[in-house]
Amino acid sequence: MSNAPAPFSPSAPLKLFNSLTRQLEPFQPVHEGEARVYSCGPTVYNYPHIGNMRAYVFADILGRTLSFKGYKLTHVINITDVGHLTDDADAGEDKMEKMARAEARSIWDIAQHYTQAYWEDIKALNIRQPARWTIATEFVPKMIQFAERIAEKHCYELDSGLYFDVSTVENYGRLSGVNAELAIELRDLNRRLSETSLKFRESANLNALIYQEVDRFVSILRRMKRESSAKDKYQDFIDIWLKIPTPDNLHFNDEFAVVLRDIRVFLATSRVEGRIEEVQGKRNEEDFAIWRKTPAGEKRQMEWDSPWGKGAPGWHLECSVMSGEVLGFPFDIHTGGIDHREIHHPNEIAQNQAFCCAGGLDLPANSGARVWMHNNFLVERSGKMSKSSGEFLRLQLLIDKGFHPLAYRMMCLQAHYRSELEFSWDGLGAALTRLKRMLIAVGQLKARIPPPSGEGDHPQGGEGAPSGDHDGAPPPSSMVPLPVPGRNFAPFLERFDAAVSDDLNTAIALTVFEEVLALKKVDPAEKLTAIGKMDAVLGLGLVTLERETLRLRPKGVEITESEIDAALEARKVARAEKDFARSDALRDELAANGVEVMDGDPLGWEWKLG
């Protein structure tokens, strides 16, 4: 009987925060042993900024965690190359058409160019390839079929296109939380007050009935305030309301009559901030286009024939069709940025409900996915996160300044995906330093492991260790397997498992990872295997990444690496000859050119990032 330790098996229950139910839930796959995930991808009209890329780092961590937990993962990310307007709520121009005009290129060239740029950023951030990229224009026939199926019961046609009537599905807007819920409540309250006033016009109890309706609305407002999502402007209304006598008070009718005018003014002027298109003939303010007709006399670069005329699909329709077509309804998890939670995803859900003939959202699977997950914003105080600012923060700008893309991945991992993450160059520098320290520790560890079969190369792989390829595939079979980590590592692997299983808490997982790096007097090969298992989730590529890879040349630096090497060699000679004045002068000259000399470090030097 072998005394070898059993392979570590992650056993902590995986819990994920469901934006639809606003609570942490145990992950229960639709299909046993499988995990089917759809992530809203980019609209390829421009380069993605680093805030956009946070969503894909988050989705990658989710996918890696599901794989770590033993699920067979099918991850789909879409490419939107048609239909997304300059305003997420169906207003403005088509983003793709607008950029094609601005750059005097075909819309197809625009899509190809910016899709490739996005894929390059995906690779640079060590984000695994999904099982499938779905391209919106390849699914237009399926989109038309989807729209035909739901049109009779859920849609109506206007001159500008086919619109979805949100009143035909239950719980529209529940996903977006307070803003949409408040809009719905305000609309319903206005309707109920009008109905009450007409029905009980002659009743002596009219004020009391109106009071009950408004009191119910105030209760909702107060709950929203506790959830810290409602706007402060509603607090004044709540404070006034709480001072009004109740209907059983003798002074109620006199005082309520005065306040009632203010209530009606408030309701008439209170509109929840949102980006809703003003279209003549819409039945409800929140109704949205699922097919946009090409205006008479115009021709678009991308347009198709449909039962509602020549035109193009709406952005919201695309994701419903691509996710359902590839993954099937219901699938397990739908991800996206928190900005999608307000309009895009509620509209997707409404379409999914209609297509599946599903009921209300008390049963989350009726939404098309069992779990909806959203990463929070990356906050940048200078205003350079918006693409409209011109020189916005894209990954290439970080590279041009000498920061390796994995420093940004590290920065994302240091915060929980549901919390805001503030970007600063100092913070990025600190993340890069942390990454370098990890690489130094891993390099020292690998140096302690004897090479296999007397060869000069150290083993780079091991169970769970990511390969050098950005897709995170297992290492080639030619690599010598490393031993299973023993009991010294079990408590750390269990804590790591618990951290990522607790709604992807990568910040804690990183600290556990560093504790393992710091362990002394343990088998180095077992330690490397444990590190590989953890990094298969973190996706930093530490087992295969070389420290020199992080040494990126900042854009605009004039000194060449051969000149640096020559200066370092001259400095070495000066130090050997005890010419310390010359040695210091060479060091200062290198520093002036942005080169940091690191005496005693095998790397020798690296770029000094300001």
Side-chain angles (χ1 to χ4, degrees):
M1 182 179 292
S2 173
N3 293 323
F8 172 76
S9 179
S11 59
L14 177 59
K15 295 182 179 180
L16 302 171
F17 186 83
N18 190 346
S19 296
L20 188 59
T21 61
R22 293 296 196 273
Q23 61 185 10
L24 209 60
E25 300 175 353
F27 177 64
Q28 297 176 329
V30 175
H31 303 88
E32 186 68 28
E34 292 187 43
R36 302 183 184 185
V37 180
Y38 181 87
S39 296
C40 274
T43 301
V44 286
Y45 73 104
N46 206 334
Y47 298 107
H49 60 59
I50 58 173
N52 299 141
M53 296 309 297
R54 186 186 186 193
Y56 308 110
V57 174
F58 147 63
D60 184 54
I61 294 298
L62 171 64
R64 287 172 178 270
T65 298
L66 289 164
S67 296
F68 175 70
K69 303 293 286 183
Y71 292 100
K72 178 186 176 184
L73 175 66
T74 304
H75 188 191
V76 174
I77 305 178
N78 76 289
I79 299 292
T80 295
D81 55 356
V82 65
H84 191 175
L85 303 191
T86 50
D87 189 303
D88 289 354
D90 286 346
E93 302 177 77
D94 184 292
K95 290 184 175 184
M96 301 293 296
E97 296 269 356
K98 182 178 179 180
M99 183 58 77
R101 286 197 305 273
E103 296 192 5
R105 300 162 67 187
S106 85
I107 199 169
W108 304 98
D109 288 343
I110 292 290
Q112 182 179 20
H113 175 79
Y114 290 114
T115 298
Q116 190 60 45
Y118 166 71
W119 282 340
E120 288 171 1
D121 285 357
I122 287 288
K123 183 174 182 178
L125 287 167
N126 206 31
I127 292 170
R128 299 194 304 180
Q129 288 285 335
R132 182 168 176 183
W133 296 102
T134 54
I135 313 297
T137 48
E138 296 176 2
F139 283 78
V140 172
K142 294 289 185 180
M143 295 176 198
I144 293 172
Q145 292 174 14
F146 186 108
E148 285 181 308
R149 174 165 165 172
I150 67 174
E152 183 177 353
K153 290 185 178 180
H154 300 277
C155 304
Y156 58 94
E157 193 172 352
L158 297 177
D159 290 342
S160 55
L162 185 69
Y163 285 80
F164 190 96
D165 184 342
V166 299
S167 69
T168 63
V169 294
E170 296 181 50
N171 311 123
Y172 173 77
R174 174 174 287 185
L175 176 72
S176 59
V178 170
N179 278 347
E181 187 175 352
L182 191 53
I184 294 167
E185 291 297 337
L186 278 168
R187 185 179 67 230
D188 289 349
L189 177 60
N190 271 307
R191 175 180 54 77
R192 290 196 303 271
L193 289 181
S194 297
E195 292 174 354
T196 300
S197 297
L198 287 173
K199 186 175 182 180
F200 300 98
R201 184 180 304 169
E202 307 300 329
S203 172
N205 294 325
L206 177 60
N207 282 350
L209 293 169
I210 291 175
Y211 177 95
Q212 291 173 9
E213 294 290 358
V214 179
D215 194 52
R216 174 182 173 276
F217 174 70
V218 172
S219 296
I220 293 170
L221 276 185
R222 294 175 74 186
R223 173 180 61 76
M224 291 178 178
K225 291 294 291 184
R226 286 196 299 273
E227 294 175 359
S228 70
S229 297
K231 302 297 184 183
D232 290 340
K233 68 179 182 179
Y234 297 110
Q235 187 60 49
D236 293 338
F237 178 69
I238 294 171
D239 293 340
I240 292 171
W241 183 255
L242 295 178
K243 296 176 183 177
I244 294 174
T246 56
D248 56 3
N249 187 292
L250 293 175
H251 302 288
F252 168 72
N253 277 315
D254 292 336
E255 296 191 28
F256 187 71
V258 174
V259 174
L260 186 57
R261 291 194 305 272
D262 295 333
I263 292 172
R264 292 194 179 280
V265 169
F266 169 80
L267 294 175
T269 59
S270 289
R271 291 172 60 89
V272 177
E273 290 83 353
R275 298 163 292 175
I276 302 296
E277 178 193 21
E278 296 294 336
V279 175
Q280 191 68 30
K282 281 173 62 171
R283 296 175 183 174
N284 307 289
E285 188 178 29
E286 297 87 359
D287 291 352
F288 57 92
I290 63 172
W291 187 264
R292 294 193 156 274
K293 298 180 186 178
T294 301
E298 293 185 17
K299 178 163 180 64
R300 301 168 54 149
Q301 290 194 48
M302 285 185 174
E303 58 181 12
W304 294 262
D305 291 321
S306 82
W308 314 283
K310 193 176 291 292
W315 176 41
H316 316 299
L317 178 64
E318 296 174 9
C319 284
S320 284
V321 172
M322 289 185 284
S323 61
E325 187 70 24
V326 178
L327 298 177
F329 290 132
F331 54 92
D332 295 297
I333 304 171
H334 195 309
T335 77
I338 197 171
D339 51 323
H340 291 341
R341 198 179 66 186
E342 300 303 314
I343 296 173
H344 179 44
H345 287 172
N347 290 352
E348 267 193 74
I349 288 172
Q351 293 167 158
N352 297 347
Q353 288 175 275
F355 185 81
C356 299
C357 303
L361 300 179
D362 289 337
L363 183 63
N366 286 343
S367 70
R370 279 192 174 176
V371 180
W372 292 75
M373 299 180 69
H374 297 88
N375 64 283
N376 212 324
F377 292 114
L378 182 74
V379 180
E380 201 277 327
R381 303 299 179 189
S382 74
K384 290 188 176 181
M385 194 61 68
S386 170
K387 294 174 184 176
S388 62
S389 68
E391 185 192 11
F392 58 89
L393 283 171
R394 50 177 293 223
L395 199 62
Q396 186 60 48
L397 181 60
L398 274 56
I399 295 170
D400 289 345
K401 288 183 177 289
F403 292 93
H404 194 281
L406 289 179
Y408 178 63
R409 184 180 180 102
M410 172 67 83
M411 194 176 192
C412 292
L413 293 175
Q414 290 175 161
H416 193 273
Y417 76 91
R418 284 195 288 119
S419 65
E420 282 191 348
L421 173 60
E422 182 164 357
F423 176 84
S424 70
W425 293 107
D426 287 344
L428 184 64
L432 181 60
T433 298
R434 189 177 188 183
L435 183 61
K436 288 176 181 176
R437 288 173 178 163
M438 288 182 177
L439 265 182
I440 290 170
V442 173
Q444 292 170 343
L445 177 64
K446 288 159 63 175
R448 294 172 53 206
I449 302 174
S453 305
E455 298 173 6
D457 293 332
H458 297 297
Q460 302 289 301
E463 185 183 358
S467 75
D469 193 331
H470 71 282
D471 67 2
S477 58
S478 60
M479 292 183 178
V480 176
L482 295 174
V484 174
R487 62 185 179 186
N488 289 322
F489 299 95
F492 296 96
L493 289 167
E494 288 169 3
R495 286 171 53 209
F496 182 89
D497 178 28
V500 295
S501 298
D502 183 17
D503 197 29
L504 315 181
N505 198 329
T506 52
I508 292 179
L510 276 172
T511 62
V512 177
F513 183 85
E514 287 174 316
E515 288 179 36
V516 172
L517 280 178
L519 284 178
K520 308 294 184 184
K521 299 180 180 179
V522 293
D523 183 280
E526 289 185 20
K527 181 174 175 177
L528 188 61
T529 305
I531 286 168
K533 279 182 169 293
M534 295 181 182
D535 194 39
V537 178
L538 299 174
L540 292 168
L542 294 170
V543 176
T544 56
L545 192 65
E546 296 299 328
R547 191 164 155 225
E548 288 86 349
T549 306
L550 300 183
R551 192 168 63 186
L552 297 185
R553 178 187 181 86
K555 189 176 182 179
V557 173
E558 294 183 1
I559 190 170
T560 65
E561 293 201 13
S562 60
E563 290 172 332
I564 295 170
D565 291 338
L568 290 173
E569 184 61 30
R571 185 171 179 269
K572 181 179 178 182
V573 171
R575 286 165 64 89
E577 295 175 350
K578 301 189 183 303
D579 186 354
F580 298 114
R582 173 65 174 156
S583 172
D584 291 345
L586 286 167
R587 183 179 189 130
D588 291 344
E589 182 181 339
L590 287 168
N593 282 282
V595 177
E596 182 178 13
V597 178
M598 302 180 298
D599 291 325
D601 189 319
L603 190 61
W605 68 274
E606 59 185 27
W607 298 109
K608 187 175 180 65
L609 304 178

